[in-house]
Amino acid sequence: MSAIPEQHAPHSDLPPGISLLRAPKGRQAETLSYDALAFLAHLHRTFNAQRLRLLAKRQLVQAQLDIGWLPDFALETADIRASAWQIAGIPKDLQDRRVEITGPVDRKMVINALNSGANCFMADFEDASSPTWDNQVDGQANLYDAVRRQIDYTDPTSGKQYTLNEKPAVLLVRPRGWHLDEAHMLVDGEPISGSLFDFGLYFFHNVKECMARGTGAYFYLPKLEHHTEAQLWNDVFVAAQQALGIPVGTIKATVLIETILATFQAEEILHALQQHIVALNCGRWDYIFSYIKKFRNDPSRLLPDRAQVTMTVPCMRAYTQFIIHVCHKRGAMAMGGMAAQIPIKNDAAANDAAMAKVKADKDREAGDGHDGTWVAHPALVPIARAAFDAVLTGANQLDKKLPGYSVTAEQLLAPPQGTITEMGLRHNIQVGIGYLAAWLQGQGCVPLNNLMEDAATAEICRAQCWQWLRHGAKLDDGRVVTSSLFHDLFNEEMAVLAPAYAQKRDIFTKACDVFKQLCLDADFKEFLTLPAYGVLVKEA
């Protein structure tokens, strides 16, 4: 196993102003070298104040939404939308992204994803990872080895060995969103941004190696709500490249349009990252969560059961087609959303039905003009690939411009229609508890009910429970969602799930407590990972 090159001995000392609240172990000392930590401190000191100002601005916008303001395309940036410009360009190895697989950064999963047959692999430090200190730092060592094609793994139970194929997928990395801190590293007494920590370590250790191998440092940027947040990332990229003597524009990023506000800022986001951006992605699950969160005080915008909010409902259709239009207009690629299904091994009929849903979804995306799509499991790669192979005559569909296409704010904001059911409420409780119980044990990507759930889908579950309780939503059988009904169903579902956690009762109880509190609080918590992270840090 290789050592990460550095100029200083690992942890003989720390750069001024840096504190690590967990002593590094094993290869963590190599990853957290003196020079890497100094680089992170530079990013933090340069950009953290602006990050905090932008997060405070989000709260001001939410206060407007809470009293009835509705978003629209901004007049002050109309000239950006009206003028002629293009993004800087797309590297050759990112021009064919017809199938991308996503997953956490643990060693075996990284190897399996790179070997999956997908064009690209998004290694996820965010929604598919539980941000324990070991997960975040060890994940960096795993990616260090993956970049150098020297990653391997031997299963301690089965003895099975895992190594890379001859042609692995192109690697992209998703750091945590701007709202998340890394509690275990302090710079001048304050926690470093999780975004800067994840981005900075990967970039510092790997950009030159990536360039030597004919690829680059490629990133996915999550949870943006405004073009100024994209501008902050652009400023970070410029500073990081300058600090390491890398040509500005070497970094390439894909932005997830996974908040309702970002949709109205899509062209402005492309413009802010013009020299670094290559694509936008339709992050469907977080998008649904964002819709609930942003309009949480509006009883006219109650969403039906999650399963009914498909990509064919009018507002979701408007959103995805608009992103294709905007991207291709500006020379960027438009990536489709996640297929969260996983194979159902012991029920052939159910498995066939699930795979048919995946096929229909990917056929729709390819037919609409997306340049590629996401899957959560290697078994779905051939299905997604076939859908795009059927329509692509080249590497992508950038020439599909959708001329004359337009969308209105009303179309983007139209509430999905459907019913709210007891089964939907129970499902939200099941997934919310099950996901949090796994997350608090360090697992961020969890198979539940034949779907691969991550933090985004868990967010939908708790947000719907909160919204239905807040507004006294009516079930399809006429009953009102009250705290009494919620408690009854919660206790029933908890009793069903409890036996699976007999050996980890404390974790299960904490997960139940966190989820219940999130659903019943008078105030809506911005992200479930914020209070849950406090519990996670204490458990570590």
Side-chain angles (χ1 to χ4, degrees):
M1 192 173 291
S2 66
I4 295 174
E6 54 185 0
Q7 298 171 18
H8 297 261
H11 289 276
S12 56
D13 54 356
L14 291 172
I18 302 297
S19 301
L20 296 181
L21 304 188
R22 287 279 299 276
K25 60 184 182 182
R27 294 184 71 197
Q28 291 178 359
E30 302 166 356
T31 302
L32 300 167
S33 66
Y34 185 102
D35 297 299
L37 292 176
F39 179 71
L40 293 181
H42 168 65
L43 295 181
H44 176 90
R45 290 170 178 141
T46 306
F47 297 109
N48 196 56
Q50 178 65 3
R51 175 182 78 103
L52 296 177
R53 283 193 291 270
L54 292 174
L55 292 176
K57 183 179 177 182
R58 286 186 183 181
Q59 298 308 308
L60 297 176
V61 173
Q62 185 61 56
Q64 292 179 293
L65 288 162
D66 287 344
I67 59 174
W69 174 76
L70 293 176
D72 205 338
F73 297 98
L75 291 175
E76 62 267 25
T77 52
D79 59 329
I80 291 176
R81 299 192 299 275
S83 58
W85 53 270
Q86 296 277 290
I87 65 163
I90 302 173
K92 184 177 180 180
D93 62 344
L94 287 180
Q95 290 180 10
D96 190 338
R97 299 171 63 177
R98 65 191 70 194
V99 186
E100 296 190 338
I101 192 167
T102 74
V105 291
D106 68 88
R107 201 164 184 85
K108 186 174 87 168
M109 293 289 280
V110 167
I111 297 170
N112 285 342
L114 289 169
N115 288 344
S116 67
N119 299 73
C120 300
F121 164 48
M122 187 197 77
D124 192 7
F125 285 100
E126 202 218 16
D127 278 358
S129 290
S130 171
T132 67
W133 179 245
D134 288 347
N135 282 351
Q136 299 303 108
V137 183
D138 292 348
Q140 292 283 348
N142 295 337
L143 297 188
Y144 178 95
D145 289 345
V147 166
R148 290 157 181 79
R149 304 292 187 261
Q150 59 193 25
I151 188 170
D152 56 22
Y153 176 76
T154 301
D155 189 295
T157 302
S158 67
K160 183 177 178 180
Q161 294 184 330
Y162 297 80
T163 58
L164 279 188
N165 292 341
E166 280 295 311
K167 191 177 180 183
V170 176
L171 179 63
L172 300 95
V173 176
R174 177 161 70 168
R176 282 169 283 186
W178 282 133
H179 61 288
L180 294 168
D181 293 335
E182 175 46 69
H184 299 91
M185 178 177 171
L186 304 183
V187 181
D188 304 327
E190 62 181 3
I192 190 172
S193 155
S195 299
L196 297 179
F197 183 88
D198 300 339
F199 159 77
L201 280 179
Y202 179 78
F203 180 77
F204 179 85
H205 285 303
N206 298 297
V207 61
K208 292 179 181 179
E209 182 70 23
C210 287
M211 294 172 68
R213 290 175 175 270
T215 184
Y218 301 149
F219 297 92
Y220 258 99
L221 306 180
K223 306 291 191 293
L224 300 187
E225 297 189 3
H226 196 268
H227 69 87
T228 52
E229 296 175 52
Q231 183 62 56
L232 178 57
W233 268 119
N234 197 73
D235 295 344
V236 170
F237 291 164
V238 171
Q241 290 164 127
Q242 290 176 338
L244 296 190
I246 304 298
V248 172
T250 298
I251 291 172
K252 295 301 178 183
T254 299
V255 169
L256 289 128
I257 301 298
E258 55 184 352
T259 67
I260 185 69
L261 298 182
T263 305
F264 292 94
Q265 298 271 318
E267 285 191 83
E268 291 88 337
I269 287 170
L270 284 169
H271 189 266
L273 281 156
Q274 191 172 354
Q275 63 190 145
H276 294 112
I277 199 162
V278 292
L280 300 178
N281 174 290
C282 293
R284 61 178 65 175
W285 303 124
D286 266 303
Y287 192 85
I288 295 168
F289 162 59
S290 172
Y291 189 100
I292 301 169
K293 175 168 68 172
K294 293 305 175 185
F295 304 125
R296 59 202 184 201
N297 275 11
D298 188 346
S300 71
R301 297 183 186 278
L302 297 184
L303 262 62
D305 290 358
R306 167 188 158 192
Q308 298 177 37
V309 187
T310 67
M311 298 308 292
T312 60
V313 303
C315 69
M316 300 300 285
R317 193 106 173 90
Y319 145 63
T320 55
Q321 291 183 304
F322 175 65
I323 296 304
I324 295 169
H325 165 67
V326 165
C327 284
H328 291 179
K329 174 183 173 184
R330 302 302 183 183
M333 296 169 71
M335 300 301 297
M338 173 62 76
Q341 289 84 355
I342 57 179
I344 305 171
K345 295 182 179 179
N346 300 317
D347 188 333
N351 187 67
D352 288 347
M355 296 305 108
K357 286 183 180 179
V358 175
K359 181 181 184 304
D361 184 49
K362 301 312 172 189
D363 285 345
R364 174 193 54 77
E365 288 181 326
D368 282 351
H370 282 289
D371 300 289
T373 190
W374 272 16
V375 298
H377 193 281
L380 275 57
V381 170
I383 299 173
R385 181 174 296 283
F388 281 84
D389 286 349
V391 301
L392 291 183
T393 56
N396 51 59
Q397 300 196 77
L398 283 169
D399 59 344
K400 190 169 184 175
K401 302 293 186 184
L402 303 183
Y405 178 82
S406 63
V407 71
T408 65
E410 290 75 18
Q411 289 172 314
L412 291 169
L413 298 174
Q417 301 302 302
T419 57
I420 300 170
T421 69
E422 178 185 319
M423 185 60 68
L425 183 53
R426 285 185 181 275
H427 175 81
N428 284 342
I429 294 169
Q430 291 169 8
V431 171
I433 294 174
Y435 181 79
L436 275 172
W439 194 87
L440 291 175
Q441 295 175 74
Q443 184 181 356
C445 196
V446 186
L448 297 169
N449 302 320
N450 302 317
L451 293 173
M452 192 63 77
E453 307 284 9
D454 66 6
T457 51
E459 290 281 26
I460 296 173
C461 293
R462 67 94 179 186
Q464 285 202 311
C465 289
W466 187 95
Q467 185 190 48
W468 295 344
L469 280 162
R470 171 65 177 267
H471 297 293
K474 277 192 175 182
L475 300 180
D476 61 344
D477 60 13
R479 286 179 295 163
V480 174
V481 180
T482 63
S483 58
S484 176
L485 175 62
F486 175 80
H487 276 106
D488 289 345
L489 298 184
F490 186 92
N491 289 336
E492 290 174 15
E493 295 303 323
M494 191 170 71
V496 171
L497 293 169
Y501 297 92
Q503 304 303 315
K504 298 176 181 178
R505 188 69 183 176
D506 287 349
I507 292 291
F508 179 71
T509 300
K510 286 183 173 69
C512 291
D513 290 345
V514 170
F515 185 78
K516 183 188 289 187
Q517 194 66 43
L518 286 165
C519 296
L520 295 174
D521 270 350
D523 296 324
F524 187 95
K525 296 295 185 294
E526 285 294 294
F527 294 94
L528 68 80
T529 45
L530 294 175
Y533 187 53
V535 177
L536 188 74
V537 170
K538 290 178 183 178
E539 289 295 315

